[in-house]
C-alpha cells in the first residue's frame, strides 16, 4: 500500500485527510497521463455522501484543466463504473465513495479501462505528483488551453446501460419470489429495486432514503440484523444487504440466517459445478475465509486458493490462474466471466439463479457450510515483524495448531497501516477460541512486545 492509496482507494475524512485539492490533483494527473496521445475520456460515479458532490466537482476541474473529458454517471455503484469503463472504452473510471465507512469519510477509487482496480505504477505516479504539490513545487503538468480544454458530459445513459446488463443476466423470472433489499441509504437506493422489479420479484426495500448523512447508519451489510428482522417480519424468501457503494453483498435466507460471503461462494460454486460451468477451476478465497467453507468444498471435490485479505488480491489470483469465482467473507464476490471486481447486485442475481434453477430455498442450499466459531483480537505491539519472529510466539502458535489439528486454525496477520497484529483463531467452540487467542497474546506479552489489546 502507498502513502495515500490503500487496497481500496484514497480514503479519509472529507476535507481532513482527503481534501478537494487532493481530488483536483488526482484529476490533473489522470487527465494529463491519459491525454498524452489522444483526447482522454474518463467516467466518474459517486455515492450518496454529501461530500461526494464536492469531490466530483474537484475531480472534474482537474480533469478538464488537463484536457480530459469527464463523463458523469452521477449517483451510482462502484461496479457500474467498472462495467462502463470497460464496456464503453473509457481510459479509466473514478468512483467517489468510502464504501461502508460513515458519511463523514469519503474516498476516491480508481479503475482502469479493463474494469480492474488501478495498478500500483499509476498510483505511485499520482502520489508523487501530490507530494510535489504539497511541497510547494511548481506544477510540472501542462494546462490545456483554447479548444483543448476538456468538458463535462452527462452520462446517466451509462448507468441505464449497466442496469440493462444486470437484467439480461437473469436466467428466469423471479415471479412469486418475495425479495428484501437493504440499500444502506447508498448507491443502490434506486437501482436495486429497479432491477428486481424488472425481473418480476415482489420487492420490499428498506433504507432507500439517502439524505447525504445517513449512508451506512445502522443499515446495510455492516448491520445485517436489519434485513434479518425484515425478512422474518415480512415472510420473505430472501434478503440482500449492500454496502454504501454496492461492491459487496451479504444475504439472509428464508429462516433469517445470515449468509456470509463464504456461504455465497459455496452456493454459487456448487451451482456452477453442477451446471458444468466451473469445470476444474478453483474457488479463490482469502485467508479470512472460515474453515467450514473449506470442509464443505472438500466434500464436493472443489479446489480452492487462498490469498491475502482484499478483493484486489482475489482478482489478481483469478486473472493469473484463469479462475472464474472468488471472493471474501465480507461479501466481495467476483464472477470472473462477468466482472473484474466485486458487484453486490450481480451477486444477488447469481444467488437468485441458484435458488430458481434448483427450486430450493437458500437455507437448504447453504446448509452444508457449518461455520466454525471465530475470534479475532487486535494487538498493539512495538514491532510487528519482531513479534512474529519471537520464539515464544512461534512456539505458542505451533502448540495451538497441533492442539486444534483439523478442527481449527490460527492466523496472525499484520495490519497494513497500524502497529497492530490481528490474532485470529477458529475452533469448535467460542470458549476454545478465547482460550487459544489469549494463549498467543500471553506469549506476545512474555516477549515484551505487547503494548495493549484493542
Amino acid at each position: 500500500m502507498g502513502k495515500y492509496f490503500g487496497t481500496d482507494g484514497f480514503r479519509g475524512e472529507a476535507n481532513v485527510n482527503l481534501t478537494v485539492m487532493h481530488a483536483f490533483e488526482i484529476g490533473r494527473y489522470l487527465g494529463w497521463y491519459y491525454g498524452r496521445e489522444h483526447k482522454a475520456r474518463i467516467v466518474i460515479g459517486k455515492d450518496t455522501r454529501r461530500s461526494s458532490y464536492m469531490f466530483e466537482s474537484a475531480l472534474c476541474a482537474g480533469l478538464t484543466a488537463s484536457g480530459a473529458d469527464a463523463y458523469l454517471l452521477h449517483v451510482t455503484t462502484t461496479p457500474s463504473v467498472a462495467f462502463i469503463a470497460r464496456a464503453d472504452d473509457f481510459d479509466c473510471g473514478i468512483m467517489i465513495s468510502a464504501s461502508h465507512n460513515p458519511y463523514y469519510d469519503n474516498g476516491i477509487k480508481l479503475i482502469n479501462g479493463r474494469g480492474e482496480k488501478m495498478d500500483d505504477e499509476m498510483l505511485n505516479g499520482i502520489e508523487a505528483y501530490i507530494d510535489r504539490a504539497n511541497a510547494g513545487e511548481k506544477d510540472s503538468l501542462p494546462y490545456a488551453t483554447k479548444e483543448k480544454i476538456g468538458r463535462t458530459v452527462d452520462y446517466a445513459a451509462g448507468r441505464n446501460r449497466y442496469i440493462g446488463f444486470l437484467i439480461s443476466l437473469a436466467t428466469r423470472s423471479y415471479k412469486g419470489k418475495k425479495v428484501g433489499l437493504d440499500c444502506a441509504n447508498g448507491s443502490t437506493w434506486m437501482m436495486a429495486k429497479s432491477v428486481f422489479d424488472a425481473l418480476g420479484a415482489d420487492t420490499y426495500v428498506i433504507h432507500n432514503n439517502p439524505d447525504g448523512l445517513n449512508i451506512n447508519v445502522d443499515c446495510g451489510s455492516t448491520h445485517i440484523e436489519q434485513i434479518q428482522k425484515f425478512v422474518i417480519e415480512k415472510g420473505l424468501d430472501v434478503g440482500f444487504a449492500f454496502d454504501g457503494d454496492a461492491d459487496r453483498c451479504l444475504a439472509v435466507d428464508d429462516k433469517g440466517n445470515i449468509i456470509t460471503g463464504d456461504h455465497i461462494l459455496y452456493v454459487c460454486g456448487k451451482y456452477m459445478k453442477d451446471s458444468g460451468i466451473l469445470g476444474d477451476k478453483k474457488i479463490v478465497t482469502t485467508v479470512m475465509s472460515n474453515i467450514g467453507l473449506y470442509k464443505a468444498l472438500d466434500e464436493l471435490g472443489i479446489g480452492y486458493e487462498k490469498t491475502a485479505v482484499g478483493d484486489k488480491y482475489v482478482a489478481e489470483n483469478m486473472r493469473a490462474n484463469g479462475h472464474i469465482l472468488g471472493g471474501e467473507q465480507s461479501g466481495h464476490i467476483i464472477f470472473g466471466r462477468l466482472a473484474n471486481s466485486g458487484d453486490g447486485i450481480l451477486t444477488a442475481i447469481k444467488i437468485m439463479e441458484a435458488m430458481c434453477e434448483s427450486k430450493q430455498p437458500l437455507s437448504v442450499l447453504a446448509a452444508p457450510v457449518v461455520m466454525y466459531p471465530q475470534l479475532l483480537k487486535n494487538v498493539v505491539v512495538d514491532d510487528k515483524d519482531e513479534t512474529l519472529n519471537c520464539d515464544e510466539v512461534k512456539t505458542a502458535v505451533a502448540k495451538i495448531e497441533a492442539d486444534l489439528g483439523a478442527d481449527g486454525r490460527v492466523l496472525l496477520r499484520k495490519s497494513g497501516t497500524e502497529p497492530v497484529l490481528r490474532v485470529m483463531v477458529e475452533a469448535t467452540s467460542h470458549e476454545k477460541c478465547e482460550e487459544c487467542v489469549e494463549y498467543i497474546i500471553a506469549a506476545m506479552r512474555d516477549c515484551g512486545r505487547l503494548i495493549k489489546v484493542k
Side-chain angles (χ1 to χ4, degrees), residues 99-114:
S99 190
H100 58 278
N101 283 29
Y103 80 90
Y104 48 80
D105 286 343
N106 216 322
I108 296 176
K109 302 182 180 185
L110 302 183
I111 299 163
N112 66 25
R114 297 183 299 278

Side-chain angles (χ1 to χ4, degrees), residues 1 20 26 38 57 107 119 121 151 164 178 197 239 241 268 288 292 316-317 324 345 361 372 380 410:
M1 288 191 286
V20 289
I26 290 169
H38 63 271
S57 296
D119 61 88
E121 183 178 355
R151 59 182 180 142
K178 297 171 70 175
D197 282 350
C268 293
M288 289 302 293
E316 287 175 353
N317 182 292
I324 59 175
I345 301 178
Y372 277 50
V380 181
V410 180

Side-chain angles (χ1 to χ4, degrees), residues 371-437:
M371 300 293 278
Y372 277 50
Q374 184 182 91
L375 177 65
L376 184 147
K377 289 191 178 182
N378 294 317
V379 183
V380 181
V381 295
D382 62 355
D383 188 300
K384 291 179 283 190
D385 291 319
E386 288 292 333
T387 305
L388 290 175
N389 289 321
C390 172
D391 288 339
E392 288 91 336
V393 172
K394 290 194 288 187
T395 299
V397 170
K399 182 181 184 304
I400 296 298
E401 287 176 335
D403 182 38
L404 293 174
D407 290 321
R409 67 186 182 111
V410 180
L411 177 65
L412 267 62
R413 185 165 62 89
K414 294 188 290 185
S415 166
T417 57
E418 302 175 282
V420 167
L421 288 176
R422 309 193 195 286
V423 182
M424 190 275 284
V425 170
E426 285 174 4
T428 52
S429 70
H430 289 289
E431 293 76 15
K432 187 67 174 177
C433 288
E434 183 75 37
E435 175 189 324
C436 294
V437 168

Side-chain angles (χ1 to χ4, degrees), residues 343-356:
D343 186 328
I345 301 178
L346 171 57
T347 297
I349 289 172
K350 300 305 285 185
I351 293 171
M352 291 296 296
E353 180 178 333
M355 290 171 57
C356 291

Side-chain angles (χ1 to χ4, degrees), residues 53-91:
Y53 295 82
M54 170 182 76
F55 287 119
E56 179 185 62
S57 296
L59 282 162
C60 286
L63 289 166
T64 54
S66 288
D69 289 342
Y71 288 72
L72 306 183
L73 293 173
H74 306 289
V75 173
T76 193
T77 66
T78 293
S80 74
V81 176
F83 172 81
I84 291 299
R86 182 178 76 253
D88 290 357
D89 295 321
F90 281 96
D91 290 298

